[in-house]
DNA sequence: TTAAATTTTGAGACTCATTTGCATAAAACT
DNA sequence: AGTTTTATGCAAATGAGTCTCAAAATTTAA
């Protein structure tokens, strides 16, 4: 819990930026949230706890958390970007159900290995990657139509 | 060339839709373009040939081409969706350079197999998937900073 | 063929997630 | 304290994508 804060602090210091109150609140809430959240959902989550942080500040903080290696913009659903924290969270891929919107997370060590091999072959330095598949989950396949 | 047209026509007929002039033009230009294009780029490409097709019609036609299995929404760059035609184009993943924007296409039979295994395991029916990695291409790694 | 019914289109208005400008507030220096 | 620098909140701006609607094209009915 304090680990993330330290990483963020160090990152900010390295960029001559400061760990302000809003930034602290945002970091805390990002790590309290174990979903794939939108900025708006995060905004509501923070507001419910009476902390006052503006949407603009949240939008401005997302790239900082991403650069610090703590956050990932993991998918896009219904015209909205969704994020998830990644510190201490194994890399995974997403199966997204077109019918009910459920997101299934799946480990992918194998995939990662193959990806790394390909990157080596093409001399491409991967910073981050995303793999998502859309379709129908088990339950939704059963439903008629 | 006429093959795509037939597929599109058949698809439209199956949905009681018609192969109109604008839809023909859009299909032709989509298959003339071998890039990963935005709707706006396609719009310009069509307009340069004096054909008059509105942006709205292009937006409306994209999902038709996708449902017909001819087009894929393959990546998102700088807040814009990018498409590419897929009929007669092997599935592939994208390495996207953060510095110069270059897109490298890579075969992925192996990846596909693994993905299918995972889908089977979770009983998830994949409709379409996307794999993209971001980072630095060979050339950009050499550049200083 | 002509008229009515249906489908598609183009143009522009609209939406809504994200970005930006700016006046104020907080923090760091002197 | 006063001065400079940085970050914040608010509200306005932006812009990709969607939607409305009257006009055109096409189909069907007569
Ligand atoms: Mn996830
Ligand atoms: Mn491609
Ligand atoms: Zn489902
Ligand atoms: Zn490059």
């Amino acid at each position: 819990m304090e680990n993330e804060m330290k990483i963020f602090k160090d990152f900010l210091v390295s960029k001559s930026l400061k760990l302000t109150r809003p930034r602290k609140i945002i970091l805390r809430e990002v790590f309290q949230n174990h979903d794939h959240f939108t900025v708006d959902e995060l905004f509501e989550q923070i507001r419910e706890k009476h902390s006052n942080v503006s949407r603009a500040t949240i939008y401005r903080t997302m790239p900082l958390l991403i650069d610090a290696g703590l956050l990932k913009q993991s998918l896009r659903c219904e015209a909205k970007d969704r994020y998830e924290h990644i510190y201490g969270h194994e890399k995974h891929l997403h199966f997204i159900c077109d019918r009910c919107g459920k997101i299934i997370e799946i480990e992918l060590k194998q995939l990662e290995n193959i990806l790394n091999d390909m990157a080596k072959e093409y001399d491409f330095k991967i910073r981050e990657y995303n793999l998502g598949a859309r379709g129908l989950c088990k339950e939704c396949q059963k439903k008629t139509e």
Side-chain angles (χ1 to χ4, degrees), chain A:
Chain A
M1 180 66 105
E2 282 320 295
N3 226 342
E4 297 95 71
M5 199 63 84
K6 178 164 185 348
I7 292 172
F8 194 29
K9 174 87 187 284
D10 290 349
F11 168 80
L12 290 171
V13 167
S14 81
K15 299 273 183 189
S16 351
L17 299 171
K18 290 144 199 77
L19 184 54
T20 59
R21 197 186 90 100
R23 284 173 182 161
K24 261 184 212 157
I25 293 174
I26 292 168
L27 178 75
R28 174 163 30 89
E29 293 305 324
V30 159
F31 276 87
Q32 216 113 62
N33 189 318
H34 294 276
D35 275 339
H36 304 85
F37 60 85
T38 62
V39 163
D40 233 60
E41 285 164 3
L42 186 59
F43 174 72
E44 276 308 323
Q45 182 183 328
I46 289 172
R47 180 208 272 203
E48 275 166 15
K49 304 193 178 159
H50 344 288
S51 322
N52 182 26
V53 176
S54 78
R55 238 178 284 260
T57 298
I58 298 179
Y59 273 112
R60 284 189 279 236
T61 304
M62 297 289 103
L64 298 179
L65 290 171
I66 289 171
D67 287 352
L70 295 166
L71 186 70
K72 183 180 193 324
Q73 196 248 295
S74 70
L75 38 93
R76 193 176 165 79
C77 257
E78 291 154 6
K80 272 167 274 185
D81 286 331
R82 288 188 170 271
Y83 301 84
E84 67 183 320
H85 62 249
I86 53 178
Y87 180 70
H89 193 181
E90 202 65 42
K91 289 246 181 76
H92 54 271
L93 70 94
H94 297 118
F95 281 167
I96 304 157
C97 181
D98 286 328
R99 173 88 53 94
C100 71
K102 180 165 53 201
I103 298 172
I104 302 168
E105 298 191 329
I106 300 187
E107 301 286 331
L108 45 42
K109 261 278 158 290
Q110 287 181 83
L111 279 174
E112 195 162 338
N113 290 338
I114 291 178
L115 199 54
N116 286 333
D117 288 350
M118 296 204 172
K120 194 166 290 174
E121 187 174 329
Y122 286 85
D123 221 330
F124 188 88
K125 187 173 181 185
I126 295 177
R127 179 177 51 76
E128 73 104 37
Y129 61 86
N130 248 310
L131 172 52
R134 292 168 180 275
L136 290 178
C137 75
K138 192 172 175 174
E139 286 70 34
C140 288
Q141 283 173 58
K142 287 180 197 144
K143 292 174 198 153
T144 38
E145 200 265 50

mmCIF file of all heavy atoms in Angstrom, chain A residues 11 18 21 23 25 36 40-41 47 52 54 56 58-59 70 85 88 91 96 102 105 107 117 119 136 139 143 145:
data_model
loop_
_atom_site.group_PDB
_atom_site.id
_atom_site.type_symbol
_atom_site.label_atom_id
_atom_site.label_comp_id
_atom_site.label_asym_id
_atom_site.label_seq_id
_atom_site.Cartn_x
_atom_site.Cartn_y
_atom_site.Cartn_z
ATOM 1 N N PHE A 11 8.954 8.737 -8.589
ATOM 2 C CA PHE A 11 8.769 9.111 -9.991
ATOM 3 C C PHE A 11 8.570 10.619 -10.120
ATOM 4 O O PHE A 11 9.198 11.281 -10.943
ATOM 5 C CB PHE A 11 7.563 8.380 -10.577
ATOM 6 C CG PHE A 11 7.131 8.917 -11.909
ATOM 7 C CD1 PHE A 11 7.802 8.547 -13.071
ATOM 8 C CD2 PHE A 11 6.085 9.821 -11.997
ATOM 9 C CE1 PHE A 11 7.415 9.063 -14.306
ATOM 10 C CE2 PHE A 11 5.693 10.347 -13.226
ATOM 11 C CZ PHE A 11 6.369 9.958 -14.384
ATOM 12 N N LYS A 18 5.485 17.347 -7.743
ATOM 13 C CA LYS A 18 5.258 17.158 -6.301
ATOM 14 C C LYS A 18 4.128 16.184 -5.986
ATOM 15 O O LYS A 18 3.157 16.096 -6.726
ATOM 16 C CB LYS A 18 4.975 18.521 -5.664
ATOM 17 C CG LYS A 18 6.215 19.384 -5.642
ATOM 18 C CD LYS A 18 5.896 20.839 -5.869
ATOM 19 C CE LYS A 18 7.133 21.608 -6.306
ATOM 20 N NZ LYS A 18 7.491 21.400 -7.725
ATOM 21 N N ARG A 21 -1.793 16.726 -2.446
ATOM 22 C CA ARG A 21 -2.948 16.068 -1.841
ATOM 23 C C ARG A 21 -3.810 15.380 -2.901
ATOM 24 O O ARG A 21 -4.093 14.186 -2.776
ATOM 25 C CB ARG A 21 -3.779 17.100 -1.061
ATOM 26 C CG ARG A 21 -4.754 16.490 -0.054
ATOM 27 C CD ARG A 21 -5.649 17.559 0.563
ATOM 28 N NE ARG A 21 -6.868 17.734 -0.212
ATOM 29 C CZ ARG A 21 -8.052 17.193 0.127
ATOM 30 N NH1 ARG A 21 -8.156 16.473 1.226
ATOM 31 N NH2 ARG A 21 -9.112 17.376 -0.634
ATOM 32 N N ARG A 23 -3.057 14.321 -5.829
ATOM 33 C CA ARG A 23 -2.341 13.184 -6.410
ATOM 34 C C ARG A 23 -2.318 12.002 -5.449
ATOM 35 O O ARG A 23 -2.431 10.848 -5.883
ATOM 36 C CB ARG A 23 -0.918 13.610 -6.808
ATOM 37 C CG ARG A 23 -0.905 14.434 -8.083
ATOM 38 C CD ARG A 23 0.457 15.009 -8.418
ATOM 39 N NE ARG A 23 0.397 15.839 -9.629
ATOM 40 C CZ ARG A 23 1.307 16.749 -9.958
ATOM 41 N NH1 ARG A 23 2.338 16.973 -9.167
ATOM 42 N NH2 ARG A 23 1.164 17.444 -11.062
ATOM 43 N N ILE A 25 -4.618 11.337 -3.149
ATOM 44 C CA ILE A 25 -5.977 10.778 -3.138
ATOM 45 C C ILE A 25 -6.208 9.903 -4.354
ATOM 46 O O ILE A 25 -6.720 8.783 -4.261
ATOM 47 C CB ILE A 25 -7.018 11.911 -3.095
ATOM 48 C CG1 ILE A 25 -6.937 12.640 -1.753
ATOM 49 C CG2 ILE A 25 -8.422 11.364 -3.326
ATOM 50 C CD1 ILE A 25 -7.829 13.859 -1.664
ATOM 51 N N HIS A 36 -11.792 -2.474 -13.831
ATOM 52 C CA HIS A 36 -11.311 -1.741 -14.997
ATOM 53 C C HIS A 36 -12.184 -0.496 -15.038
ATOM 54 O O HIS A 36 -13.309 -0.548 -15.489
ATOM 55 C CB HIS A 36 -11.487 -2.580 -16.254
ATOM 56 C CG HIS A 36 -10.823 -3.916 -16.152
ATOM 57 N ND1 HIS A 36 -11.434 -4.984 -15.569
ATOM 58 C CD2 HIS A 36 -9.599 -4.330 -16.524
ATOM 59 C CE1 HIS A 36 -10.607 -6.021 -15.590
ATOM 60 N NE2 HIS A 36 -9.489 -5.651 -16.167
ATOM 61 N N ASP A 40 -14.455 8.706 -15.064
ATOM 62 C CA ASP A 40 -15.672 9.141 -14.411
ATOM 63 C C ASP A 40 -16.027 8.289 -13.202
ATOM 64 O O ASP A 40 -16.480 8.803 -12.183
ATOM 65 C CB ASP A 40 -16.826 9.113 -15.410
ATOM 66 C CG ASP A 40 -17.512 10.447 -15.442
ATOM 67 O OD1 ASP A 40 -16.829 11.432 -15.765
ATOM 68 O OD2 ASP A 40 -18.705 10.500 -15.092
ATOM 69 N N GLU A 41 -15.825 6.997 -13.335
ATOM 70 C CA GLU A 41 -16.093 6.122 -12.194
ATOM 71 C C GLU A 41 -15.143 6.441 -11.045
ATOM 72 O O GLU A 41 -15.545 6.476 -9.880
ATOM 73 C CB GLU A 41 -15.959 4.652 -12.618
ATOM 74 C CG GLU A 41 -17.145 4.168 -13.449
ATOM 75 C CD GLU A 41 -16.890 2.869 -14.192
ATOM 76 O OE1 GLU A 41 -15.793 2.279 -14.029
ATOM 77 O OE2 GLU A 41 -17.764 2.442 -14.959
ATOM 78 N N ARG A 47 -15.360 11.187 -4.989
ATOM 79 C CA ARG A 47 -16.320 12.154 -4.485
ATOM 80 C C ARG A 47 -17.177 11.580 -3.359
ATOM 81 O O ARG A 47 -17.515 12.270 -2.402
ATOM 82 C CB ARG A 47 -17.238 12.593 -5.628
ATOM 83 C CG ARG A 47 -18.255 13.601 -5.182
ATOM 84 C CD ARG A 47 -19.487 13.512 -6.038
ATOM 85 N NE ARG A 47 -19.344 14.372 -7.218
ATOM 86 C CZ ARG A 47 -20.384 14.842 -7.892
ATOM 87 N NH1 ARG A 47 -21.607 14.513 -7.510
ATOM 88 N NH2 ARG A 47 -20.201 15.597 -8.936
ATOM 89 N N ASN A 52 -12.444 16.237 -2.469
ATOM 90 C CA ASN A 52 -12.766 17.055 -3.629
ATOM 91 C C ASN A 52 -11.587 17.112 -4.594
ATOM 92 O O ASN A 52 -10.619 17.806 -4.356
ATOM 93 C CB ASN A 52 -13.153 18.463 -3.184
ATOM 94 C CG ASN A 52 -13.546 19.315 -4.366
ATOM 95 O OD1 ASN A 52 -13.978 18.794 -5.381
ATOM 96 N ND2 ASN A 52 -13.384 20.610 -4.247
ATOM 97 N N SER A 54 -10.927 17.448 -8.831
ATOM 98 C CA SER A 54 -11.636 17.710 -10.087
ATOM 99 C C SER A 54 -11.315 16.661 -11.136
ATOM 100 O O SER A 54 -10.272 16.024 -11.114
ATOM 101 C CB SER A 54 -11.272 19.085 -10.627
ATOM 102 O OG SER A 54 -10.012 19.033 -11.239
ATOM 103 N N ALA A 56 -10.565 17.236 -14.115
ATOM 104 C CA ALA A 56 -9.386 17.666 -14.871
ATOM 105 C C ALA A 56 -8.117 17.138 -14.227
ATOM 106 O O ALA A 56 -7.210 16.665 -14.912
ATOM 107 C CB ALA A 56 -9.353 19.180 -14.979
ATOM 108 N N ILE A 58 -7.818 14.539 -12.358
ATOM 109 C CA ILE A 58 -7.732 13.095 -12.565
ATOM 110 C C ILE A 58 -7.199 12.811 -13.971
ATOM 111 O O ILE A 58 -6.268 12.036 -14.144
ATOM 112 C CB ILE A 58 -9.100 12.422 -12.362
ATOM 113 C CG1 ILE A 58 -9.577 12.648 -10.925
ATOM 114 C CG2 ILE A 58 -9.008 10.934 -12.662
ATOM 115 C CD1 ILE A 58 -10.930 12.048 -10.614
ATOM 116 N N TYR A 59 -7.784 13.490 -14.952
ATOM 117 C CA TYR A 59 -7.291 13.298 -16.321
ATOM 118 C C TYR A 59 -5.812 13.626 -16.410
ATOM 119 O O TYR A 59 -5.059 12.976 -17.113
ATOM 120 C CB TYR A 59 -8.071 14.185 -17.295
ATOM 121 C CG TYR A 59 -9.338 13.528 -17.804
ATOM 122 C CD1 TYR A 59 -10.590 14.007 -17.449
ATOM 123 C CD2 TYR A 59 -9.273 12.432 -18.659
ATOM 124 C CE1 TYR A 59 -11.759 13.413 -17.921
ATOM 125 C CE2 TYR A 59 -10.431 11.830 -19.142
ATOM 126 C CZ TYR A 59 -11.666 12.317 -18.765
ATOM 127 O OH TYR A 59 -12.806 11.731 -19.233
ATOM 128 N N LEU A 70 2.565 2.380 -12.797
ATOM 129 C CA LEU A 70 1.595 1.913 -11.812
ATOM 130 C C LEU A 70 0.227 1.636 -12.406
ATOM 131 O O LEU A 70 -0.582 0.916 -11.829
ATOM 132 C CB LEU A 70 1.456 2.971 -10.700
ATOM 133 C CG LEU A 70 2.706 3.202 -9.853
ATOM 134 C CD1 LEU A 70 2.577 4.474 -9.047
ATOM 135 C CD2 LEU A 70 2.941 1.999 -8.946
ATOM 136 N N HIS A 85 -4.964 -0.685 -12.305
ATOM 137 C CA HIS A 85 -3.613 -0.561 -11.740
ATOM 138 C C HIS A 85 -2.852 -1.834 -12.062
ATOM 139 O O HIS A 85 -3.465 -2.899 -12.224
ATOM 140 C CB HIS A 85 -3.655 -0.290 -10.234
ATOM 141 C CG HIS A 85 -4.286 -1.350 -9.416
ATOM 142 N ND1 HIS A 85 -5.489 -1.173 -8.785
ATOM 143 C CD2 HIS A 85 -3.893 -2.598 -9.108
ATOM 144 C CE1 HIS A 85 -5.800 -2.262 -8.131
ATOM 145 N NE2 HIS A 85 -4.858 -3.143 -8.319
ATOM 146 N N GLY A 88 1.920 -4.999 -8.875
ATOM 147 C CA GLY A 88 1.526 -6.179 -8.118
ATOM 148 C C GLY A 88 0.342 -6.907 -8.722
ATOM 149 O O GLY A 88 -0.376 -7.615 -8.049
ATOM 150 N N LYS A 91 0.407 -9.594 -15.392
ATOM 151 C CA LYS A 91 -0.076 -9.244 -16.737
ATOM 152 C C LYS A 91 -1.117 -10.269 -17.168
ATOM 153 O O LYS A 91 -1.001 -11.452 -16.848
ATOM 154 C CB LYS A 91 1.089 -9.282 -17.741
ATOM 155 C CG LYS A 91 2.080 -8.157 -17.589
ATOM 156 C CD LYS A 91 2.065 -7.238 -18.807
ATOM 157 C CE LYS A 91 3.076 -6.114 -18.677
ATOM 158 N NZ LYS A 91 4.456 -6.579 -18.925
ATOM 159 N N ILE A 96 -13.702 -10.073 -23.437
ATOM 160 C CA ILE A 96 -14.797 -9.148 -23.153
ATOM 161 C C ILE A 96 -16.073 -9.629 -23.811
ATOM 162 O O ILE A 96 -16.120 -9.802 -25.031
ATOM 163 C CB ILE A 96 -14.450 -7.754 -23.699
ATOM 164 C CG1 ILE A 96 -13.121 -7.285 -23.111
ATOM 165 C CG2 ILE A 96 -15.570 -6.757 -23.380
ATOM 166 C CD1 ILE A 96 -12.422 -6.245 -23.955
ATOM 167 N N LYS A 102 -19.197 -8.518 -19.446
ATOM 168 C CA LYS A 102 -18.281 -9.121 -18.466
ATOM 169 C C LYS A 102 -16.859 -9.153 -19.007
ATOM 170 O O LYS A 102 -16.640 -9.329 -20.210
ATOM 171 C CB LYS A 102 -18.752 -10.547 -18.155
ATOM 172 C CG LYS A 102 -17.863 -11.265 -17.150
ATOM 173 C CD LYS A 102 -18.536 -12.511 -16.595
ATOM 174 C CE LYS A 102 -19.031 -13.456 -17.678
ATOM 175 N NZ LYS A 102 -20.068 -14.369 -17.195
ATOM 176 N N GLU A 105 -10.360 -12.091 -16.977
ATOM 177 C CA GLU A 105 -8.914 -11.881 -17.036
ATOM 178 C C GLU A 105 -8.196 -13.213 -17.108
ATOM 179 O O GLU A 105 -8.547 -14.149 -16.397
ATOM 180 C CB GLU A 105 -8.454 -11.108 -15.805
ATOM 181 C CG GLU A 105 -9.083 -9.727 -15.725
ATOM 182 C CD GLU A 105 -8.438 -8.864 -14.666
ATOM 183 O OE1 GLU A 105 -7.975 -9.419 -13.655
ATOM 184 O OE2 GLU A 105 -8.400 -7.638 -14.861
ATOM 185 N N GLU A 107 -4.372 -15.271 -17.476
ATOM 186 C CA GLU A 107 -2.907 -15.257 -17.422
ATOM 187 C C GLU A 107 -2.335 -15.499 -18.810
ATOM 188 O O GLU A 107 -2.945 -16.186 -19.612
ATOM 189 C CB GLU A 107 -2.411 -16.389 -16.505
ATOM 190 C CG GLU A 107 -2.908 -16.314 -15.079
ATOM 191 C CD GLU A 107 -2.208 -15.228 -14.300
ATOM 192 O OE1 GLU A 107 -1.038 -14.929 -14.622
ATOM 193 O OE2 GLU A 107 -2.833 -14.661 -13.386
ATOM 194 N N ASP A 117 9.779 -13.087 -28.149
ATOM 195 C CA ASP A 117 10.588 -13.642 -29.226
ATOM 196 C C ASP A 117 10.427 -12.825 -30.495
ATOM 197 O O ASP A 117 11.390 -12.505 -31.182
ATOM 198 C CB ASP A 117 10.151 -15.087 -29.520
ATOM 199 C CG ASP A 117 10.587 -16.036 -28.410
ATOM 200 O OD1 ASP A 117 11.366 -15.601 -27.547
ATOM 201 O OD2 ASP A 117 10.135 -17.196 -28.418
ATOM 202 N N ALA A 119 9.469 -9.744 -30.773
ATOM 203 C CA ALA A 119 10.053 -8.417 -30.605
ATOM 204 C C ALA A 119 11.557 -8.493 -30.847
ATOM 205 O O ALA A 119 12.126 -7.644 -31.534
ATOM 206 C CB ALA A 119 9.772 -7.880 -29.214
ATOM 207 N N LEU A 136 -18.485 -13.944 -26.966
ATOM 208 C CA LEU A 136 -19.560 -14.261 -26.025
ATOM 209 C C LEU A 136 -19.045 -15.149 -24.909
ATOM 210 O O LEU A 136 -18.361 -16.146 -25.157
ATOM 211 C CB LEU A 136 -20.706 -14.977 -26.745
ATOM 212 C CG LEU A 136 -21.534 -14.136 -27.720
ATOM 213 C CD1 LEU A 136 -22.589 -15.018 -28.381
ATOM 214 C CD2 LEU A 136 -22.201 -12.966 -27.007
ATOM 215 N N GLU A 139 -21.987 -18.015 -20.343
ATOM 216 C CA GLU A 139 -23.395 -17.819 -19.999
ATOM 217 C C GLU A 139 -24.176 -17.223 -21.176
ATOM 218 O O GLU A 139 -25.281 -17.675 -21.487
ATOM 219 C CB GLU A 139 -23.543 -16.902 -18.783
ATOM 220 C CG GLU A 139 -23.178 -17.565 -17.468
ATOM 221 C CD GLU A 139 -21.682 -17.826 -17.341
ATOM 222 O OE1 GLU A 139 -20.894 -16.994 -17.863
ATOM 223 O OE2 GLU A 139 -21.275 -18.847 -16.754
ATOM 224 N N LYS A 143 -27.893 -18.196 -23.741
ATOM 225 C CA LYS A 143 -29.103 -17.416 -23.977
ATOM 226 C C LYS A 143 -29.501 -17.491 -25.440
ATOM 227 O O LYS A 143 -28.654 -17.475 -26.325
ATOM 228 C CB LYS A 143 -28.879 -15.947 -23.589
ATOM 229 C CG LYS A 143 -28.701 -15.791 -22.092
ATOM 230 C CD LYS A 143 -28.338 -14.343 -21.747
ATOM 231 C CE LYS A 143 -27.728 -14.269 -20.358
ATOM 232 N NZ LYS A 143 -26.812 -13.131 -20.192
ATOM 233 N N GLU A 145 -31.133 -16.579 -29.130
ATOM 234 C CA GLU A 145 -30.861 -15.512 -30.121
ATOM 235 C C GLU A 145 -29.366 -15.328 -30.322
ATOM 236 O O GLU A 145 -28.641 -15.109 -29.403
ATOM 237 C CB GLU A 145 -31.488 -14.167 -29.737
ATOM 238 C CG GLU A 145 -31.651 -13.212 -30.894
ATOM 239 C CD GLU A 145 -30.472 -12.230 -31.014
ATOM 240 O OE1 GLU A 145 -29.322 -12.695 -30.998
ATOM 241 O OE2 GLU A 145 -30.699 -11.031 -31.144
#
